[in-house]
Amino acid sequence: MWMQHIIARDTPAAAVGNFRHTSQFPPEKKPIKMSFESLDKKLKMIYMLVEYLETSGNIRLIKQQCARYSQNKGLLVYTFKLLIDPVLLTEVNAELGNSLLNSPNDVIFLVVFQIVTLLELLPSDVTFPQISVIIRLNQLPSLCQSNTIQSSTDLSRLSSIHGFVQFTGIVIGMTAPSKYTQSTKYRCPDEECEGHHGNQFIRVHVTGASETQTIRSDFSCTFCWRRLEEEKSCRYLSEKMVIEVVPDKLDSCGEPNSYRIQAIPVYLRDDITRGVELGEKYNVIGLIRKDIMGENIMLAIEANNIMKVTSETIPKFLTEIPKNITDLYEASILDCKSSPWSFVLNLAYSFADQICPPGTYIRLKMCILLSLVTLLDKQDDGYPLHLLAVGQDTVLIHRLLMYGKQFADKTCNHTSTNHMSGKVTCDKYESSPYFIEAGSFHLAKNGVCYIGDIERYKKSTKEQIQSGLGQRKFTIDISSRYTGGLPQQLEETLSCHVWGYTQPFKQRQSNDPFKGQNINDSSNTLLECFSVVHFTDYGPSNTNEQVYLQCAHHQLTLSMGHNLKSNISEDNFHKFLRYVKAICPNMTEECEGLLHGYYLASRKTRSSESNSKVPVSALKTLYSLSMSHARLSLRSEITVEDGLMAIWIYEESLTERLGHSLLSLQPCPHVQHDNKHQFFGKENDHMMRQFHVNLIRFCNNQQFREE
C-alpha cells in the first residue's frame, strides 16, 4: 500500500524535475513539458523499481542504515548503499535496467528519498539534496559482454562508452590509502539571502571526479549570484586508493615483468577499499575515466564494485573422473582399489612421462602431486608444502618442476629483476605517499612460486626466502622517506607453495649409510625451511648411472620425433587434479594420534643440546601430506594409511639429509622396470604394514623412556 502513496505524492514537477544527482546544485527553474503518456511511463518505472527494492531486500537494508543514522544526529549527508543485480532488474523492466547501466540513476535517489520520508525513518527536516545513494552492481547482463576488457588496449576502444565495463584480473600493485572529499556544504555569505540558511548547496563526489573538480571556489548562489563559500567544518572525508590489475588472460606466462606493463589502474573508494589484497583475483565493474597526468592522458577504471574470485565462485564443470584414471583405479592387476597406496603410486609412476621414463624420479613426482592438491585458501585446510629437489641433473629436475607447476591454479616464476616480498616506490598517480609493487610471494598466492636454482640468488634474497618459509610470513619495508616519520613494516602471510632445486656440493663417494648428502654450506640453512627436501641421487652410484642412461635415451627418442604414448594425458591430469581438490576429507583420531606420536618421538630422538633436526612445523607438514594423499586416493577420510605414507615421505627426506633412519627405512628415489612389482600391489602393502609395526614400536619405546 505504501508503494502506491509514493506514486500518488509525485506531481509532474516532482517526478521529472527532481531527477538529478545530489552532487548538483539546484538547477535553474525551467518550464516542464511532458505528455501524459511519458509521465505514465515514468510512474510505471518508479513502481517497478520500488517493487524490486522490496523483493531484493534493499528496503530492509535502507531501514537498517536509517537505524544507525538515528544514533548520529546532525549529519549533513545520509548515504545509502544498495546492492543491485542488473540481470534481475532488466527482467523486471528492460528500460529500467538499461537506464541503470547507461545513465545517471536519479530515479533511485528520488525513490529512496520518498521511502525514508513516508516511513519517517529520518528526521522530518531532511531535504532531498541530503540523500546520497551508492549503487553496487554484482554482475552485468550477458548482453554487456562486448564491454568486457581483455587487455589495456580495450580501454581506448571502450573510452567513448558511457556504460559500465567489467574484467577479471590479479592485483599486482596498490597505493597507500589516502583521503578524499566525499561531501561538503557551501553557503551564501549574505545573511539575508535564502541561500545562507539551511542545506541549500551540498556538494557530493560523483563518479570519475577529481578533488579539484569536487572542491571549487567558482560556485555562485542561485538566489543572489554571489560567490559561495565552503563550510569546511561540514567537509566529510573518506578513503580512496588506486590498484593496478592485470587481466587474468595475460597472467599465464608466470613472469611478472612480462605483463606488468599491461596493468590497468582502478580507483577504489569508500567501503570497497577494505580487504583488497595483493596477488588476489578480483572481478571489477566500473566506468572508464580519463585523467590528465602532465602531458599525457591516462585511462583508468572508476570501480563501482570489486568482488574477490574464490574457488567457491568459480563454476565447477567437472562432475566425474576421466575414464582412463577410473580404469587405473579399478584395475585388478595392479590391485589399486583394494590397496591403500597403489593408486597414488601408479599416478606418480605415470606422471610426467613426457619428461622422463616412467618410474624415474617417482618420489619427486609424488611430492609434486601432493603439493598440487594442497589447498591454501581455507584456514582449516593444509599447510604449504614447500619442495626442494637436490640432484646432479638439475636440467631434468628443472624440467620436471616446470612441467608440474602448469597444473597449479596460479604460478609465478621468480626472476632476479623481480622482488620476492614486494617493493615500495613513489606513487606515480600522485594520490598517496607511496605505491607497493607486488612481489613473487604475492603473485603466487594460492599457487606455486617457482624460484628455480637457489644458488643463483644473493644473500639478501636467500634470507627473505628463509624468513618467509620458516615463519610463513614476510614483511614489506617502508622507509621513512615515504612515511614522513619512522620506517614501517607491513606483515603478510605466505600462502603459496615454494618450489626450487639445487645441486649437491659434491657427489657422494661413500656408501656409508650414516653419512648424509652434502650441499653448499650457504644453502644448508634453507634445508630446514622447506617442507620436503628430496635427494634424487640417493643410493648406489650404479643405480643413478642407469637412471641417467634411461633419461638420456628417453630424451633422444623424443628428439628424433617419436611420439611416446602416454598412459594418462596432461588434460586428464588437469581434470583429475581439479576434481580431487574439491574433496574435503576429515582426519580420523587414529591418524591424528599416529602423526602426533611420530612427531614427538622423532623430534625427541633427533634433538641435541642446542636444537632439533626436526622443525616445529613438521607436524603441520605431516597433516598436509596425509590430507593430500587422502585426496589423491579419493577418500573422504584421512585414514591411518594416509598418515603412514606421509610419515614415510617425511622420514625419507630426513634420512636422505641426515644419513640414517630411525625406522630402518631405505629411500628409493627411482623405480626400475624390472623390480616394479616390489613397489606396487601386495609386496608394497606388506612393506608398509611392517613399517607401521616398526613405527608403533618406535613411538612406544620413546614414550616408555620418558616415563
Side-chain angles (χ1 to χ4, degrees):
M1 180 65 67
W2 61 272
M3 291 191 297
Q4 298 177 357
H5 288 297
I6 292 180
I7 299 177
R9 289 187 52 175
D10 288 333
T11 62
V16 180
N18 284 336
F19 287 172
R20 55 181 175 82
H21 198 281
T22 57
S23 65
Q24 305 298 327
F25 293 144
E28 298 181 9
K29 296 182 179 180
K30 298 181 180 180
I32 300 173
K33 297 181 180 180
M34 174 175 285
S35 63
F36 287 102
E37 183 178 352
S38 60
L39 176 60
D40 183 64
K41 189 176 182 180
K42 288 288 186 181
L43 293 177
K44 288 182 178 179
M45 290 180 58
I46 294 176
Y47 184 88
M48 291 181 179
L49 177 60
V50 173
E51 186 178 6
Y52 169 78
L53 292 177
E54 186 174 27
T55 56
S56 62
N58 282 288
I59 299 294
R60 176 176 52 83
L61 188 61
I62 292 174
K63 293 179 180 179
Q64 293 175 355
Q65 292 173 339
C66 289
R68 290 193 295 267
Y69 288 143
S70 62
Q71 301 175 359
N72 299 325
K73 299 182 179 180
L75 293 177
L76 177 65
V77 177
Y78 297 86
T79 303
F80 297 91
K81 297 181 175 65
L82 306 180
L83 183 61
I84 303 295
D85 189 345
V87 177
L88 296 178
L89 189 60
T90 304
E91 293 178 357
V92 173
N93 187 287
E95 186 176 356
L96 181 61
N98 185 64
S99 174
L100 173 72
L101 294 172
N102 296 284
S103 62
N105 311 302
D106 296 334
V107 62
I108 295 185
F109 286 81
L110 175 63
V111 169
V112 172
F113 175 70
Q114 295 285 21
I115 289 174
V116 299
T117 302
L118 285 176
L119 299 180
E120 298 180 353
L121 300 176
L122 294 177
S124 58
D125 58 345
V126 174
T127 60
F128 175 68
Q130 292 182 264
I131 301 298
S132 176
V133 181
I134 298 178
I135 301 172
R136 300 292 186 212
L137 306 180
N138 58 3
Q139 62 176 327
L140 293 184
S142 57
L143 295 176
C144 298
Q145 294 301 320
S146 58
N147 293 359
T148 301
I149 296 176
Q150 305 290 343
S151 64
S152 59
T153 56
D154 291 339
L155 289 178
S156 300
R157 176 177 61 86
L158 300 173
S159 60
S160 59
I161 298 178
H162 299 289
F164 289 97
V165 297
Q166 65 178 349
F167 73 103
T168 303
I170 308 295
V171 178
I172 67 168
M174 63 171 57
T175 64
S178 58
K179 298 294 184 180
Y180 81 100
T181 302
Q182 188 185 66
S183 62
T184 188
K185 178 181 177 181
Y186 285 81
R187 185 190 298 273
C188 180
D190 188 0
E191 297 182 358
E192 298 181 356
C193 179
E194 186 178 349
H196 181 78
H197 307 281
N199 298 315
Q200 299 289 340
F201 306 105
I202 297 177
R203 187 74 172 170
V204 179
H205 172 82
V206 295
T207 302
S210 62
E211 187 72 10
T212 56
Q213 292 173 326
T214 303
I215 304 299
R216 288 158 47 186
S217 59
D218 57 348
F219 297 122
S220 300
C221 177
T222 56
F223 300 99
C224 66
W225 300 103
R226 293 177 181 270
R227 187 64 58 86
L228 295 176
E229 297 178 352
E230 181 192 3
E231 289 191 20
K232 295 185 178 180
S233 60
C234 297
R235 183 182 292 189
Y236 180 79
L237 302 179
S238 185
E239 284 193 348
K240 70 169 183 176
M241 65 188 307
V242 184
I243 63 175
E244 288 187 347
V245 184
V246 175
D248 54 353
K249 292 190 176 181
L250 301 176
D251 184 34
S252 58
C253 54
E255 297 182 3
N257 292 322
S258 60
Y259 58 76
R260 201 178 288 275
I261 58 176
Q262 292 285 342
I264 298 175
V266 179
Y267 284 79
L268 306 180
R269 300 182 189 274
D270 306 328
D271 56 311
I272 60 177
T273 61
R274 297 187 290 269
V276 178
E277 301 177 11
L278 290 171
E280 291 286 1
K281 180 183 289 188
Y282 293 92
N283 184 29
V284 181
I285 299 176
L287 300 171
I288 298 179
R289 56 178 288 168
K290 297 180 181 179
D291 295 318
I292 299 177
M293 306 290 292
E295 299 179 353
N296 301 321
I297 297 179
M298 184 188 70
L299 297 177
I301 301 293
E302 181 85 16
N304 172 272
N305 201 0
I306 179 170
M307 296 155 288
K308 185 176 180 180
V309 179
T310 61
S311 58
E312 287 79 8
T313 58
I314 299 175
K316 296 178 175 59
F317 300 101
L318 187 66
T319 58
E320 60 182 10
I321 305 174
K323 186 177 183 304
N324 56 351
I325 298 182
T326 305
D327 294 340
L328 177 64
Y329 184 74
E330 298 288 345
S332 58
I333 299 177
L334 299 175
D335 199 27
C336 291
K337 190 173 182 179
S338 60
S339 172
W341 304 283
S342 293
F343 178 62
V344 179
L345 289 172
N346 275 279
L347 287 176
Y349 184 84
S350 303
F351 185 71
D353 52 2
Q354 301 93 328
I355 306 299
C356 57
T360 58
Y361 297 90
I362 186 172
R363 289 301 183 192
L364 177 59
K365 296 176 184 179
M366 189 173 182
C367 292
I368 291 175
L369 290 174
L370 292 172
S371 180
L372 287 173
V373 298
T374 302
L375 304 181
L376 301 176
D377 56 349
K378 297 181 180 179
Q379 296 181 357
D380 57 345
D381 205 338
Y383 191 78
L385 290 180
H386 309 302
L387 178 59
L388 178 66
V390 184
Q392 290 288 340
D393 195 351
T394 56
V395 175
L396 186 56
I397 294 175
H398 167 72
R399 294 187 61 194
L400 273 175
L401 295 176
M402 289 290 290
Y403 178 85
K405 76 180 184 65
Q406 70 172 320
F407 298 95
D409 295 333
K410 194 191 322 183
T411 62
C412 177
N413 295 339
H414 180 72
T415 60
S416 58
T417 57
N418 195 31
H419 297 272
M420 189 65 72
S421 59
K423 178 184 178 183
V424 179
T425 61
C426 294
D427 180 21
K428 55 186 175 183
Y429 301 103
E430 301 176 355
S431 62
S432 67
Y434 57 85
F435 182 85
I436 305 177
E437 293 183 3
S440 296
F441 284 158
H442 294 108
L443 301 177
K445 187 171 292 186
N446 300 325
V448 174
C449 179
Y450 182 66
I451 61 177
D453 188 1
I454 62 176
E455 285 301 321
R456 63 191 175 99
Y457 295 115
K458 298 180 180 178
K459 182 180 179 181
S460 58
T461 305
K462 289 183 178 180
E463 291 176 351
Q464 290 182 359
I465 298 174
Q466 182 179 353
S467 176
L469 271 60
Q471 304 178 12
R472 202 189 172 185
K473 59 184 179 181
F474 58 96
T475 57
I476 303 174
D477 297 323
I478 305 175
S479 64
S480 57
R481 58 179 292 198
Y482 301 117
T483 61
L486 296 176
Q488 299 178 2
Q489 281 188 339
L490 297 178
E491 187 175 275
E492 298 195 27
T493 303
L494 178 65
S495 56
C496 67
H497 306 287
V498 179
W499 292 359
Y501 66 89
T502 187
Q503 191 174 20
F505 180 68
K506 62 180 179 179
Q507 191 171 5
R508 184 178 174 186
Q509 301 294 335
S510 175
N511 290 327
D512 184 5
F514 296 98
K515 183 177 180 181
Q517 296 283 328
N518 294 323
I519 64 172
N520 277 341
D521 294 337
S522 59
S523 303
N524 193 33
T525 55
L526 284 175
L527 285 177
E528 296 182 358
C529 299
F530 283 88
S531 306
V532 179
V533 181
H534 178 67
F535 291 83
T536 61
D537 299 332
Y538 194 90
S541 58
N542 57 348
T543 303
N544 295 328
E545 291 177 359
Q546 294 178 9
V547 171
Y548 296 152
L549 290 175
Q550 290 180 15
C551 294
H553 181 267
H554 185 82
Q555 294 300 321
L556 181 61
T557 304
L558 292 177
S559 64
M560 295 176 63
H562 296 282
N563 293 326
L564 300 177
K565 186 178 180 180
S566 177
N567 295 328
I568 303 176
S569 64
E570 293 183 13
D571 183 59
N572 287 335
F573 263 116
H574 270 289
K575 293 179 180 179
F576 175 74
L577 295 177
R578 196 181 312 126
Y579 179 88
V580 299
K581 285 181 182 179
I583 300 176
C584 298
N586 298 318
M587 181 168 291
T588 60
E589 295 182 0
E590 295 81 3
C591 179
E592 186 175 4
L594 185 68
L595 296 178
H596 195 262
Y598 166 75
Y599 167 75
L600 293 178
S602 180
R603 184 172 171 83
K604 201 79 172 178
T605 307
R606 288 189 167 100
S607 298
S608 60
E609 295 182 358
S610 57
N611 59 357
S612 176
K613 298 295 183 181
V614 181
V616 179
S617 61
L619 184 59
K620 294 183 178 179
T621 300
L622 291 170
Y623 284 161
S624 290
L625 287 171
S626 57
M627 184 175 295
S628 298
H629 189 270
R631 284 198 180 96
L632 290 175
S633 302
L634 304 177
R635 282 193 280 268
S636 59
E637 285 188 341
I638 306 175
T639 62
V640 172
E641 288 76 12
D642 299 312
L644 276 176
M645 181 54 70
I647 294 173
W648 181 284
I649 293 173
Y650 197 82
E651 182 68 19
E652 268 193 346
S653 177
L654 292 177
T655 302
E656 292 168 343
R657 180 157 59 95
L658 303 178
H660 63 281
S661 173
L662 300 175
L663 299 171
S664 303
L665 184 147
Q666 293 296 325
C668 183
H670 312 282
V671 174
Q672 301 296 320
H673 184 71
D674 54 353
N675 60 351
K676 177 183 175 181
H677 62 281
Q678 299 179 3
F679 299 91
F680 301 97
K682 296 181 179 180
E683 293 191 26
N684 178 72
D685 292 352
H686 177 73
M687 180 184 64
M688 294 297 294
R689 300 299 181 191
Q690 187 61 40
F691 175 72
H692 188 195
V693 174
N694 296 337
L695 177 61
I696 297 297
R697 185 184 300 114
F698 169 70
C699 296
N700 292 337
N701 290 339
Q702 186 63 35
Q703 184 178 3
F704 177 76
R705 291 179 182 178
E706 292 180 358
E707 294 177 355

